[in-house]
Structures are given as C-alpha cells and as structure tokens.
Amino acid sequence: MENSWPYVGRARERDRAVEALTAASGAGVLLTGDPGVGKSRLLDEVLDQALRRQRVTLRVTATPGWQAVPFGVLANRVPQASDANVADVFRDVERRLREVAAGRGVVVGVDDLNWLDDASAALLERLVASDAVQVVASVRTDWLDAPPVAAVRRARSVDRIHVPPLDAEESTGVIRAALGGPVDGLTLDALWRISQGNPLFLREALRCGLRDGGLVRRDGMWTWPAESLCPTHLADLIQQTLGTLTPEEAEAMRYVAHAEPVPLAVLDRVVEPRIAERLEERGLIRLLRHDAAVLVQSGHPLYAEAVRNDTGELRARRLRRNLAAALAELGGGGADDLARVVAWRCEADLPVSPEDLLSASEHALRRHDPVLAERLGRRIRSARGDWQVARALLAQGRGDEAGGCLRRAAAELTEPRDRAEATALRALHAFWGDRRPDRAREVLDAARRELPVEARPGLLAAEVGIAVFGGDLDGARDSMARLATDRPRDPLLATAVAALEPYLLLFAGQPGRAARMFDTGEVDLPETWPTMRAAAQACHVQSLLMSGRLAEATRQAQRYYQDAVGRRAPDAVGLLAFARGKCAYHGGQLSESVRWLHEARTLVGERALFPIRDYVLSANAYVAAQRGEPAEGRRLLASLRAEQAGRGDAGGLLATDAELTEAWLSAVDGQLATAVGRLHELRRAGAQAATITVECLHLLSRLAPSTETAERLTEVAAGCDSPLFDLWAAYARALAADDPAGLERVGTALEASGYLALALETVIAAEAACGRRGEHRRANLLARRAELLRDRCGGYWPPLLPHRDGRDELTPRERQICELAAAGRDNATIAAELVLSVRTVENHLQRAYVKLGLRSRAGLARALGARRAG
C-alpha cells in the first residue's frame, strides 16, 4: 500500500487547473483546502499534465524551517546572495528560465506556498508579473492571507480551486484500490466516518489497521471487526490544527468533546459565545438541528477523540460537573435532558437516585443508545438493573454476556408480568442466540407452571417466535391471534415479534399479503434491536421477491442496507447484504450476487442470531453451484453442516434452505435421482408451509419434469397469492408438455418482471423444444434471444442445461462452408469451389445458423470468432 496509494476522485479539479493554465490569460492556480485533502498530490498531477503538454516544470516545497532563509527552498536553483544583489538574482533567474524554456511555457509548482520565504516570494511575484512563469501552488484555506500568498495573488490574477474532501463513493474507490480487493460495507462506512473523506487520515487509518492487525482479510474480503479504528494514532495528525487554539478555545473544545452532541443552550452557559463562534468559523465545531433543539458537535470525529485523549481524568470530571450543573440550571427539559444529566453526573461520580438511573437507562434503550443504557444499568444494584443490562447487551449483539442477567431478572423481578417478559426474552435468546430449542421450551414450560395466569400472556412473544421458526405454523397462528390483543410492553420483545406475522405469512404461501403489511405500515420497523430490525427488513425484501416484485425488492434491499450500515451492527449489515445478494441472483447478476453474499458471509459470525448464518451459508453455496462451481458449493455447505452438528440443531423449517441447496448440488453433480428423492422428502417435511412446498415442486419440475409435479405445483400455487408462483407453475406445465410456445410465454413474463436468471433458463428450454419438433427457424430466433439474455446476465449459463457449444458443435463441413460465407462468397461460388450442389450448401448453412443462434449471414464472422476463442 505504501508504494501504490491510488489517485482517485480529483479529475474535475485537475482538469480545471489544467484548463486555467492553458487559457491565454492564465497566470496560475491556487489549490486550497484543509490539511490532508490531497492538495500536494493534485499539484503533482497538474504538473505532470503540464509536462505532457511540453511545458517546463519546476517544483519546490516550502517549509517552516526554511522560511527565515532567503531563497531557502531555491538554494540549488539561484545564485547565492553573496554572489550578487537581489536585483541581479531576479534578472539572472528570469534570463536562465527563458533560455531553458526555449519558447516553451514554464510552470512553477509550490507546495505549501504560505511557508515560502520573503525573498523567494518576491522572486515568484516578479516572475509571475513579468509573464515569465505560471504558478501552481497549494495552500491551506486558513492561510490565504499569508504574505507569500498575497504576493502571488497581487502579481496577477490567479484562479482559486477548492480541493474538497473525497465523497463516500470516491473514498470507497480509494480503499478498494489501496487494499487490492473487496471490502465489507461496515468497514467502508467506519473508514468514511473516521476520515470524512480526508485522504491523509484515510491512508493513516489503513496503515494503522494493517500494522496492528485490526484490518484483516477474511475469506478473501477485507474487514475491520474491532470497534475502534485506532483513532489514538490518527489523533496525532491533527495536533497541528488543535495546537493553534488559544487556552479559551481549547477549553471550549473540551466541553464539546466530552458532551457531544451538547445542547447549544448548555454550551452557552459554560463557554463564551464569541469563543464558540470562532471555533465554528474555523470548522472545528458545527451545529445540528434535532427536532426543535440545536445541538453542537465537533467538526470532525478525530477532533473530539484527540481532545478527549489529551484531557486528564480530573479535568474531565470537572467538565462534566459543570455541564450537569448548567443543564440543571436551565430547568424543564424532557427525558433527553434527564438522560444527559444522569450520564454526566455518573461520569463525574456525583450522586444519582436509583429512580433517575432507571428512567435514564430505559430512555437510552428506547432511544437506540444501548451502550449508555448498559452503563447506567450497571449502577442499579437490583434485579431491575440486571434487566436493563441484559436488554442493553442483547441490543448490542452481545447475547453471550446477557445470560446471567436474564436469568436473575426472570427470577427476581417483583412484578409477575415483568418476570414473564424477562422469561420470554430468555427463551428467545436460548432459541435464537444459544441455538438450544429444547432449553427454550423448558424455560417456557417452567414459567407456565410458576407464573400466575394473568401474567402468562407475557410469554406469548417467545411462543410465537419459537413456533414460527420451529415449524409449528398452526401453533404459531394460534399464539399470534392472542398476541394481537396483548402486545409486549418491553421494547426488545416488541422488536422481536414485529416481523413474526409477515414471516408466518411468507412461510404459509402468502408473500403478497406479507409485503402489503410492510407497504401499508402495519409493520413498524423496530428501532431498539438492530439485528431484529434487519430481520424485519429482510422479511420485507423476501416477501417482495416471492411476490414477483423484484425491482421493488432490489430498491428496498439497497435502502435497508444503508440503514443497517448507519446502525453499525455487523449481523444486521450482513443480513441485508444477504438480501441484496438474493435480489442480484434472481436478476441474473451472479457476479454481483457473489459479491454481496461474500460480504454477508464475512460479517455474519458464528454467534449471530439463528438462523441468519444458516441462510447466508446456504445461499452462498447455492449461487456457487449456479455459477458452475459445485466444489465451492460443497465446501460452503459442509461448513454449514459442521456448524449445525456442533450446536445440535433440530432442523425444521430452518433447515429448508440447506436441504434445497443440497438437492441442487446433487443435481449439478449429476446425481439426479438423489436430488429428486431429497426434494420429495423435503416436500413431506414442510407440508405445513406452502412456500416450502412450492419451492420444492418448482425445483423438482425443472430436474424431472412430469405432469403430476406440474399439476401439484399448480394446485398449491393457486392457494397462494404470488404471481411468481403462478409463473413457476406455468413453467412446470410447459416443461412437462414440452410446449415451446408455453415456455416462450413464461420466459417473456419472467424477463418483463426482471427475473432474468430463470427467464434465460426458460428461453433455452423453449429453443430445445422447438429443435425437437423440427421448428428450426423458431429455434434460431429463440437461440438469439437466449444469447441476448445471457449477455444481460454477464455470460451466465444455467448449469443444468448442456452448453450450446458442446451440444451443437459445427461439423467440419459446416465450419468450412460458414468460413467461406463469412469471407463474402455467395452460395453458388461456395458450391462450385467445394464441388457441392447449391441446395447442399444452403442446408449446411441453415443447420449452422441454428447452432450459432443466427438468422442469416449477418454476424457469422463474429460468431465463428467467438467459437474459436471459446
């Protein structure tokens, strides 16, 4: 990385600078911007462009150490002051430049123009004024009034080009190019947040990560799983900015850094407004509007980090005491203010009542700050404190640490309904987190015996969750009906059950209804628990996919993915990357699908809530097989099986994806009977779930088409509400009947809906059916259509279908005749040359056109060339 730092995202600024230099009146360019944004690198690029345009270029770098030395940076380029007076130096330099230039233009590049010594600045001013040179100089925005800068601008008008930080897309390009491989979205976002597009900060962050081992390549993808991107190292880079603060400004920055985002009204009580104004004008702090409140935070995350690292503990305690007192003096305020006061008082070791601690912790949990909720909850020495800590840990994805707190809360909370809901959360954690369904059911059974009847509705959330994903759909419907009239009071439980009804509908063959629940707002996307929020979002995407609404599913998956990245939860981001991969697969974009599924596999760890990782590994294996990589599919599926065996999973609906993938891999490996038998078993096992039945029959109809399978699929699809399922049934009927017209209609409908992978397979099947009927002209048209679809799918070819190159290889005579035709000879000339009848030549050409997917000689040369390349 050190020797190949990429140049990305400055084409617009570079082109503007070059244009300014080539203008007839162009005296030069000032490249301005914050430290580290890449002004020096851009200066080099501009000089390089000038050199390519036959200009003479000269580059110098001014530094503070040479500012007191006359002609310091030009020591090797001008006569020494002892040899001549200044006027003679000026004339001599100008003369020599003109001699060297020999009629060409001269461009002088000065990095950090503000540090240029007075003599060099005067010389540069003279050269620019006399039109002997053009100048390209970099300067920090806050040094535009420095004497050397003013001198150059005074000599002649120079263009000023602001060099902004990189945007998020440009930063992503830099990171991927620097690391030479794919990077997961969570890492890209973290690097963007900490660098804010500053290339210097970005480079130092990557260097730090590689040096310290935080940035690692996992299964081919770069990821940074640690919470901190070593900001303490990066903070050293901005001391040159913070080191120029006055004592009053430094104290104001400390208040902001230790309280951000701090209400402006509070800051006004502890900092003089004029000091805050100066900091805002320099970009060191900025204002945010949140509802009706005005908040203040640091202008860059590293500013706050550097200030906090440089603040002693005693000073930090004093700052927080003052902040708490200032907020209390303002009076009034709501729950947000109470949470702030409580947090500041705790961090300053001031007394806080248990009631205030509890209120503040609960408010933080409900306002999506589980870290603060945990910190405050640990100060509550009671079962209620255990309850706060347990839920905060779960919301952070740290379920492994929550078990003891959950157990104590469920046993010791005083109110029976609270104990019931603590037990429900404990059971769900056992089922989803610990992957122990038997233990989850034991916990619920014991609670039903011990809790009073009126408290037992608090268990419903767990009963529904376990029933839905355990395969008991009838029991789930019963519990769901009771849950509808007695919703959980706890925000985490409410989060956990938000998507259970649409999931139930999805399994039951009603993806259209499930999608409408999201579309109409019947499902409130949960806020408190990021992983559960992502689970609900993934349910929405899958419902749209299974409803035949691929374009909407793709848009929602992209939007939800960005939402998950903003919440910085790896499992949530991985789950939505999985959803994006599924959408890309159905759209025929298998390379893109692999990229998203790879990210999902990287981010979703073995301790992710069940069954996320199972779905992710199964989808990776399935798409690998689709791409003609069955060995990779087997490897991924074996990894999934090993994890399942290690935790003793019971199967049920959760095993469906893996079983379908297993059947698909068997078929790709040529074990068709094994695949068909597995699908029949899976059909029977998932009889309660209409969607599973449809998926099994859909795959079965493609592997072993039959009237019986088609009729059964048609019957089941009729009881569902998905247009996509109806298309699958129509495909099965057309395959069973070997009906090319029916296959073509299905292919057209699938293509119109965006399901290009299956559309390609269907059109190829229609072409083969036409060939079997001797309808060669129609087969030829379908072959061309299949090639166009294949191009849209990035060259993908369905692995279960024989490739056209192997199936329809040209005979030597056909190739000979085609090559002559491609060279421009007509049929009669070819016939005379090869001593054949014209009719024989025509027959050979017609068969070759069908094999090559052509309608006439047009494109024949290209098709033959592609065959040779293949």
Side-chain angles (χ1 to χ4, degrees):
M1 190 188 81
E2 291 288 341
N3 298 322
S4 59
W5 184 249
Y7 179 76
V8 175
R10 296 295 186 218
R12 181 176 61 252
E13 291 80 10
R14 180 198 62 204
D15 293 345
R16 281 185 58 198
V18 171
E19 182 181 347
L21 291 176
T22 55
S25 60
V29 177
L30 283 181
L31 305 175
T32 66
D34 295 334
V37 295
K39 301 185 296 299
S40 301
R41 182 70 181 272
L42 177 58
L43 187 149
D44 290 339
E45 290 291 324
V46 174
L47 289 178
D48 184 60
Q49 291 294 318
L51 191 62
R52 293 180 182 181
R53 287 165 171 76
Q54 306 304 310
R55 306 290 185 88
V56 175
T57 62
L58 171 67
R59 189 192 194 283
V60 296
T61 299
T63 61
W66 284 96
Q67 194 173 27
V69 180
F71 301 115
V73 298
L74 300 174
N76 297 325
R77 305 176 189 272
V78 301
Q80 296 301 305
S82 59
D83 299 332
N85 62 42
V86 172
D88 290 339
V89 169
F90 283 13
R91 283 191 293 271
D92 185 64
V93 169
E94 187 171 349
R95 178 184 57 77
R96 285 196 290 163
L97 280 174
R98 294 188 186 280
E99 289 175 356
V100 170
R104 293 174 294 169
V106 178
V107 181
V108 176
V110 184
D111 199 13
D112 288 331
L113 175 62
N114 49 282
W115 295 121
L116 203 62
D117 63 90
D118 292 342
S120 297
L123 172 59
L124 188 61
E125 179 184 7
R126 163 70 179 269
L127 294 173
V128 171
S130 63
D131 203 24
V133 303
Q134 292 174 298
V135 65
V136 180
S138 70
V139 60
R140 283 172 47 168
T141 304
D142 52 354
W143 283 98
L144 283 172
D145 57 350
V149 182
V152 171
R153 300 178 79 180
R154 182 171 58 241
R156 287 182 63 191
S157 176
V158 294
D159 288 8
R160 177 184 168 189
I161 297 176
H162 178 64
V163 184
L166 301 172
D167 62 26
E169 184 177 347
E170 291 166 343
S171 293
T172 294
V174 168
I175 295 165
R176 287 176 176 161
L179 294 175
V183 187
D184 74 72
L186 201 59
T187 298
L188 290 172
D189 178 70
L191 287 166
W192 162 252
R193 281 187 289 105
I194 203 167
S195 70
Q196 297 288 289
N198 185 298
L200 177 61
F201 292 167
L202 190 56
R203 184 173 62 191
E204 291 305 311
L206 291 175
R207 181 185 291 125
C208 168
L210 292 170
R211 182 187 65 235
D212 296 350
L215 182 60
V216 296
R217 199 164 194 168
R218 181 184 294 167
D219 197 15
M221 177 165 284
W222 288 99
T223 185
W224 201 325
E227 292 183 5
S228 171
L229 303 189
C230 56
T232 52
H233 296 279
L234 294 171
D236 295 339
L237 295 173
I238 61 172
Q239 285 302 332
Q240 57 180 311
T241 297
L242 298 179
T244 63
L245 298 178
T246 66
E248 293 82 5
E249 290 170 339
E251 184 76 349
M253 281 299 297
R254 290 190 187 96
Y255 275 115
V256 175
H258 285 83
E260 63 177 352
V262 57
L264 179 58
V266 174
L267 189 65
D268 282 343
R269 285 185 169 263
V270 294
V271 171
E272 287 189 41
R274 63 181 179 82
I275 302 297
E277 289 165 7
R278 288 209 301 264
L279 293 175
E280 184 196 13
E281 288 164 359
R282 293 182 59 183
L284 294 173
I285 64 174
R286 59 192 179 97
L287 301 183
L288 301 173
R289 297 197 178 272
H290 180 70
D291 298 331
V294 179
L295 306 175
V296 183
Q297 71 176 38
S298 57
H300 191 289
L302 288 183
Y303 294 162
E305 189 69 29
V307 169
R308 287 193 291 267
N309 289 339
D310 199 38
T311 304
E313 185 176 345
L314 290 176
R315 190 197 297 264
R317 288 156 60 93
R318 175 180 60 80
L319 294 172
R320 292 185 176 114
R321 283 198 304 270
N322 293 346
L323 286 164
L327 185 53
E329 288 171 7
L330 287 171
D336 283 342
D337 288 342
L338 173 63
R340 286 192 183 94
V341 168
V342 169
W344 290 337
R345 290 183 65 86
C346 287
E347 289 161 355
D349 283 336
L350 296 173
V352 181
S353 71
E355 293 78 13
D356 283 347
L357 275 171
L358 181 58
S359 296
S361 177
E362 186 69 17
H363 176 75
L365 185 64
R366 292 177 182 269
R367 291 299 294 265
H368 334 308
D369 190 350
V371 175
L372 178 58
E374 177 198 354
R375 197 161 69 239
L376 298 176
R378 290 192 182 278
R379 291 176 173 268
I380 306 171
R381 308 299 181 189
S382 67
R384 180 61 64 178
D386 287 329
W387 182 225
Q388 297 298 125
V389 171
R391 294 181 299 159
L393 289 171
L394 288 173
Q396 294 174 64
R398 295 161 58 194
D400 290 351
E401 304 172 46
C405 292
L406 273 176
R407 186 173 58 254
R408 289 191 296 274
E412 298 173 14
L413 286 168
T414 56
E415 187 179 337
R417 179 60 182 252
D418 288 345
R419 289 205 308 277
E421 294 202 343
T423 300
L425 199 55
R426 184 184 172 203
L428 283 175
H429 176 62
F431 185 80
W432 279 330
D434 292 338
R435 286 87 160 180
R436 297 182 58 192
D438 293 341
R439 179 58 181 155
R441 293 185 178 94
E442 288 172 7
V443 168
L444 288 178
D445 288 343
R448 291 190 196 99
R449 291 192 302 268
E450 297 166 5
L451 287 168
V453 174
E454 63 273 14
R456 291 176 192 169
L459 302 173
L460 283 171
E463 292 172 358
V464 174
I466 293 171
V468 168
F469 289 96
D472 180 12
L473 299 191
D474 291 335
R477 291 186 190 96
D478 178 62
S479 295
M480 184 67 74
R482 289 183 288 139
L483 185 63
T485 60
D486 202 338
R487 308 297 292 183
R489 299 179 304 185
D490 174 63
L492 258 71
L493 277 182
T495 292
V497 303
L500 287 180
E501 185 172 359
Y503 263 117
L504 184 57
L505 291 170
L506 184 57
F507 283 133
Q510 304 297 311
R513 231 178 107 199
R516 284 193 298 277
M517 289 187 69
F518 289 95
D519 297 340
T520 60
E522 292 179 67
V523 178
D524 289 327
L525 289 177
E527 295 280 356
T528 308
W529 197 346
T531 303
M532 286 298 175
R533 178 181 176 86
Q537 292 167 331
C539 179
H540 188 194
V541 174
Q542 183 69 5
S543 299
L544 291 168
L545 266 179
M546 292 292 99
S547 302
R549 298 162 62 184
L550 175 58
E552 292 175 71
T554 301
R555 287 194 297 271
Q556 287 288 11
Q558 183 175 1
R559 186 169 68 86
Y560 287 152
Y561 174 84
Q562 295 300 332
D563 175 74
V565 167
R567 292 167 190 271
R568 306 172 195 172
D571 290 349
V573 177
L575 186 51
L576 271 307
F578 160 76
R580 296 190 74 172
K582 294 267 284 187
C583 291
Y585 161 71
H586 282 284
Q589 307 306 306
L590 269 74
S591 294
E592 184 179 352
S593 176
V594 167
R595 179 258 177 275
W596 288 114
L597 292 175
H598 188 182
E599 176 170 331
R601 193 167 81 235
T602 300
L603 290 175
V604 176
E606 294 184 12
R607 298 305 302 169
L609 289 179
F610 192 60
I612 297 174
R613 185 163 171 83
D614 295 57
Y615 289 156
V616 167
L617 286 175
S618 177
N620 271 271
Y622 188 90
V623 173
Q626 282 281 18
R627 281 167 53 87
E629 301 170 354
E632 174 66 3
R634 285 286 178 199
R635 182 187 73 80
L636 291 165
L637 195 60
S639 175
L640 170 58
R641 295 302 193 197
E643 289 184 18
Q644 289 175 331
R647 63 183 185 239
D649 288 338
L653 293 183
L654 300 175
T656 302
D657 270 24
E659 293 294 335
L660 282 169
T661 298
E662 187 80 63
W664 180 255
L665 280 165
S666 296
V668 172
D669 284 342
Q671 303 169 27
L672 191 60
T674 301
V676 169
R678 188 179 295 277
L679 287 170
H680 280 302
E681 292 175 10
L682 189 55
R683 254 182 70 193
R684 289 189 289 270
Q688 282 192 58
T691 297
I692 291 177
T693 301
V694 166
E695 289 183 299
C696 290
L697 290 168
H698 172 52
L699 185 51
L700 188 59
S701 70
R702 294 155 66 195
L703 299 181
S706 72
T707 301
E708 179 187 357
T709 298
E711 289 176 350
R712 179 58 182 150
L713 179 51
T714 300
E715 178 186 347
V716 179
C720 301
D721 70 351
S722 168
L724 181 62
F725 293 175
D726 293 335
L727 283 176
W728 288 358
Y731 183 28
R733 294 193 299 273
L735 280 173
D738 200 28
D739 174 13
L743 290 167
E744 188 175 356
R745 283 194 298 273
V746 172
T748 299
L750 287 167
E751 183 178 358
S753 299
Y755 292 78
L756 299 186
L758 190 58
L760 173 60
E761 179 184 316
T762 308
V763 171
I764 294 170
E767 175 203 348
C770 283
R772 286 189 289 271
R773 294 187 177 206
E775 299 175 4
H776 297 301
R777 184 171 296 279
R778 190 65 189 162
N780 176 43
L781 293 174
L782 288 168
R784 290 296 302 144
R785 184 175 165 194
E787 286 303 317
L788 291 173
L789 273 172
R790 186 183 181 190
D791 287 344
R792 292 176 66 188
C793 294
Y796 163 68
W797 187 269
L800 292 182
L801 300 180
H803 199 288
R804 186 176 289 117
D805 288 346
R807 179 189 61 189
D808 294 323
E809 188 61 60
L810 297 177
T811 66
R813 177 65 81 181
E814 287 169 350
R815 176 170 289 280
Q816 184 182 28
I817 291 173
C818 284
E819 287 176 345
L820 291 171
R825 293 173 174 80
D826 61 24
N827 290 355
T829 302
I830 295 172
E833 186 172 333
L834 298 180
V835 194
L836 297 171
S837 70
V838 173
R839 182 63 180 271
T840 299
V841 170
E842 291 173 348
N843 288 339
H844 277 303
L845 280 174
Q846 186 59 44
R847 285 194 294 272
Y849 293 159
V850 172
K851 293 179 180 180
L852 294 173
L854 301 174
R855 299 179 63 183
S856 65
R857 293 175 185 239
L860 190 55
R862 185 174 65 85
L864 291 173
R867 282 295 177 100
R868 293 191 197 99

